[in-house]
């Protein structure tokens, strides 16, 4: 016979789990004791459940395997909600495990007890309360299978403390072998024929295309056909953005240069489309036709109703199309490439401004110059995310981690910490606004304790800058969005990290180079100047793009 909590750990080991991130509570102590004897799973103790959840989700994003996180009942479980939604919308496989009071008998009334399973239902693919030790193997297998199945997302198991104490003769189940279904050849043929007959097609690379084999196949398709491509924010890096056929990232809602490129197309090949992202285009009756290529059929609405759907493994579908198509000499991409040149010219004209506080385009330019080809930047959420989405050239998949799904604040630091753990030999930088950083800044202690090599770049404007910009843009008075900050250099040093402060435009590149080349956790306090946000990201860009 085996104790239930021991069996749970054995099941996770069978699934290949490497880490469990979390903040245990009284109701997890049997589980924690069993975990202490595991030789294959490491506990990563965090300072907040949200940080644990963000780390687990990012593990899933990088590896494709389920990240696992642990919390107690009540407030521990509720603190997982944001991270669960982050993984669910962002397509990151994650399993949340929460404790619970005994379910067969109770002497504490309703103290700390919430219906956590019902709470998790809207933000997970699967949620279940374990009511018998015998069912642990099948429920763990099901949770991880569903977390990793396309579209990946969050799952949840509640493990009551009396169930954790039970004895059982159940044993772990082996992982199943699964193969993604291939796209239907008839659908591929229809897509290839429509593409062949188009005059000015364009590829739109979205969130669902951000997979390893998809990157290779898409690059080969572009090389063979010469069809230009753009990305959504969650599609950045799927193909090297230095490619001459790259026409930009859809970072603004409308009116940007990239939208001019899309408007010039007579056929859009939408690859890995996910409705959780702001759409890079809107369909209209009688307008540009769309080919939808994804693991899932299109979610049809008034502005998205594709004419051809190719459903199945995306990499396989792209390979089939690549093999079937012959480049059409009548294709014309002049306007798309003209729009991209106009954007590059505009970016070059504003990047060289080394003013202080730091100007956002200059900041993006200097970070890109400092980061190696395989370096990873992890952005929190704020107006700087738009600057980086538009101006930071991504060379490889999953080297620009940003959240264009839930768009939550507070994820940048934990995401970067996980990236540094998965890829200890690569340079990693968290890029956070002062507001987002302070939401989970306590995880600096975790980063130092784990002896990570990590640079945390804090863009300080002493306000919730994105909302302040929107406030001004909508004609409201500047009110209610400013605050004070700690001395970030001393704050970092209090955790045992290295604190730095940018003192001029010329100082920024030197400081970036120093931090990236020196082991340990580094924090950089970088004052930023967002005064031109509205002029450049709204008026200037839209006027210039309209002129293309």
């Amino acid at each position: 016979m085996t104790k239930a909590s021991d069996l749970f750990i054995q099941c996770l080991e069978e699934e290949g789990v490497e880490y469990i991130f979390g903040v245990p509570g009284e109701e997890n102590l049997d589980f924690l004791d069993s975990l202490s004897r595991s030789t294959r799973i490491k506990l990563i103790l965090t300072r907040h459940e949200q940080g644990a959840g963000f780390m687990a989700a990012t593990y899933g994003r990088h590896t494709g395997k389920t990240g696992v996180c642990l919390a107690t009942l009540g407030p521990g479980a509720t603190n997982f909600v944001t991270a669960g939604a982050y993984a669910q919308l962002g397509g990151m496989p994650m399993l949340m495990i929460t404790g619970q009071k005994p379910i067969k008998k109770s002497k504490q009334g309703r103290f700390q007890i919430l219906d956590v399973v019902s709470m998790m239902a809207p933000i997970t693919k699967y949620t279940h309360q374990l009511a018998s030790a015998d069912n642990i193997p099948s429920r763990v297998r099901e949770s991880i299978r569903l977390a990793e199945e396309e579209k990946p997302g969050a799952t949840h198991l509640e493990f009551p403390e009396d169930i954790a104490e039970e004895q059982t003769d159940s044993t772990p189940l082996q992982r199943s072998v699964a193969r993604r279904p291939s796209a239907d050849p008839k659908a591929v043929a229809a897509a290839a024929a429509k593409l062949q007959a188009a005059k000015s097609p364009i590829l739109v690379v979205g969130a669902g295309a951000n997979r390893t084999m998809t990157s290779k196949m898409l690059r080969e398709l572009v090389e063979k056909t010469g069809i230009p491509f753009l990305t959504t924010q969650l599609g950045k890096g799927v193909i090297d953005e230095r490619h001459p056929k790259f026409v930009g990232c859809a970072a603004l809602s409308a009116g940007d240069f990239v939208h001019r490129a899309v408007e010039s197309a007579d056929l859009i090949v939408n690859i890995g489309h996910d409705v959780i992202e702001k759409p890079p285009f809107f369909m209209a009756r009688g307008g540009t036709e769309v080919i939808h290529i994804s693991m899932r059929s299109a979610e049809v609405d008034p502005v998205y109703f594709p004419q051809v759907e190719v459903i199945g493994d995306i990499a396989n579908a792209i390979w089939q199309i690549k093999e079937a198509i012959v480049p059409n000499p009548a294709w014309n991409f002049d306007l798309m490439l003209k729009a991209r040149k106009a954007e590059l010219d505009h970016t070059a004209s504003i990047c060289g401004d080394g003013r202080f506080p730091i100007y956002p385009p200059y900041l993006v330019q200097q970070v890109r110059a400092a980061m190696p080809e395989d370096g990873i930047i992890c952005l929190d959420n704020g107006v700087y995310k738009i600057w980086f989405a538009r101006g930071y050239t991504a060379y490889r998949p999953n080297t620009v981690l940003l959240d264009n799904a839930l768009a939550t604040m507070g994820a940048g630091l934990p995401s970067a910490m996980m990236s540094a753990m998965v890829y200890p030999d690569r340079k990693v930088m968290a890029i956070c606004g002062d507001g987002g950083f302070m939401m989970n800044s306590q995880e600096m202690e975790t980063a130092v304790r784990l002896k990570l090599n990590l640079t945390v770049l804090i863009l300080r404007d002493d306000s919730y800058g994105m909302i302040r910009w929107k406030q001004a843009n909508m004609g409201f008075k500047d009110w209610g969005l400013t605050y004070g900050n700690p001395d970030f250099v001393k704050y970092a040093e209090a955790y045992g990290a290295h604190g730095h402060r940018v003192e001029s435009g010329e100082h920024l590149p030197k400081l970036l180079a120093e931090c990236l080349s020196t082991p340990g956790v580094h924090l950089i306090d970088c004052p930023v100047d967002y005064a031109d946000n509205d002029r450049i990201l709204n008026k200037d860009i839209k006027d210039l793009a309209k002129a293309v």
Side-chain angles (χ1 to χ4, degrees), residues 117-132:
V117 172
S118 294
M119 179 182 74
M120 291 292 187
I123 59 166
T124 60
K125 298 178 72 176
Y126 175 78
T127 178
H128 179 77
Q129 181 189 73
L130 291 165
S132 169

Side-chain angles (χ1 to χ4, degrees), residues 211-385:
R211 309 286 188 267
T212 303
M213 284 305 296
T214 305
S215 175
K216 180 177 184 292
M217 292 304 157
L218 274 169
R219 186 173 65 251
E220 291 180 4
L221 176 65
V222 172
E223 291 292 344
K224 179 177 179 178
T225 64
I227 299 173
F229 67 97
L230 64 102
T231 72
T232 65
Q233 292 183 44
L234 287 174
K236 277 188 74 67
V238 172
I239 308 176
D240 190 330
E241 293 176 2
R242 292 170 293 187
H243 198 287
K245 297 298 183 180
F246 176 61
V247 295
C249 173
L252 297 176
S253 298
D256 200 353
F257 299 97
V258 71
H259 297 101
R260 294 293 294 132
V262 175
E263 289 163 10
S264 72
D266 69 335
L267 179 67
I268 298 169
V269 183
N270 202 17
I271 304 159
H273 174 71
D274 196 324
V275 293
I276 55 92
E277 289 205 84
K278 288 183 178 179
F281 60 86
F282 295 105
M283 296 184 68
R285 302 285 181 93
T288 304
E289 294 194 337
V290 172
I291 297 172
H292 174 92
I293 302 177
S294 183
M295 277 293 299
R296 304 168 68 190
S297 59
E299 295 183 44
V300 174
D301 61 28
V303 293
Y304 192 69
F305 43 91
Q307 283 75 24
V308 176
E309 296 188 47
V310 182
I311 310 303
D313 181 79
I314 296 175
N316 173 267
I318 297 299
W319 176 81
Q320 288 191 60
I321 291 173
K322 182 200 71 172
E323 293 298 300
I325 201 166
V326 177
N328 186 345
W331 284 336
N332 188 319
F333 309 121
D334 290 350
L335 188 52
M336 297 175 191
L337 299 178
K338 182 181 177 184
R340 177 58 177 168
K341 184 179 184 304
E343 179 172 15
L344 292 174
D345 290 346
H346 172 63
T347 300
S349 72
I350 60 176
C351 271
D353 192 333
R355 73 177 73 167
F356 188 80
I358 302 298
Y359 197 40
Y362 177 79
L363 173 79
V364 174
Q365 180 190 56
Q366 296 306 317
V367 172
R368 177 65 278 179
M371 292 298 288
E373 186 161 315
D374 66 349
I376 300 169
I377 63 169
C378 303
L379 289 101
D380 212 290
N381 269 277
V383 68
Y384 51 89
K385 187 179 77 170

Side-chain angles (χ1 to χ4, degrees), residues 18-36:
E18 297 179 274
Y19 303 105
I20 295 178
F21 309 89
V23 182
E26 176 186 346
E27 291 71 27
N28 307 120
L29 289 178
D30 287 283
F31 184 91
L32 194 67
D33 180 64
S34 298
L35 178 58
S36 73

Side-chain angles (χ1 to χ4, degrees), residues 19-21 49-70 80-96 147 152-155 398 401 403 406 408 411 414-416 418-419 422:
Y19 303 105
I20 295 178
F21 309 89
E49 292 86 356
Q50 196 176 94
F54 288 145
M55 291 184 76
T58 304
Y59 176 89
R61 179 171 182 173
H62 276 306
T63 67
K65 299 188 298 182
T66 303
V68 180
C69 51
L70 175 71
F80 266 165
V81 169
T82 299
Y86 172 78
Q88 179 76 350
L89 291 186
M92 308 175 215
M94 180 176 80
L95 167 61
M96 297 174 283
T155 58
N398 282 324
L401 301 193
D403 175 17
L406 184 65
T408 181
S415 181
M418 188 69 255
S419 299
V422 174

Side-chain angles (χ1 to χ4, degrees), residues 50 98 159 369 435:
Q50 196 176 94
T98 60
F159 195 25

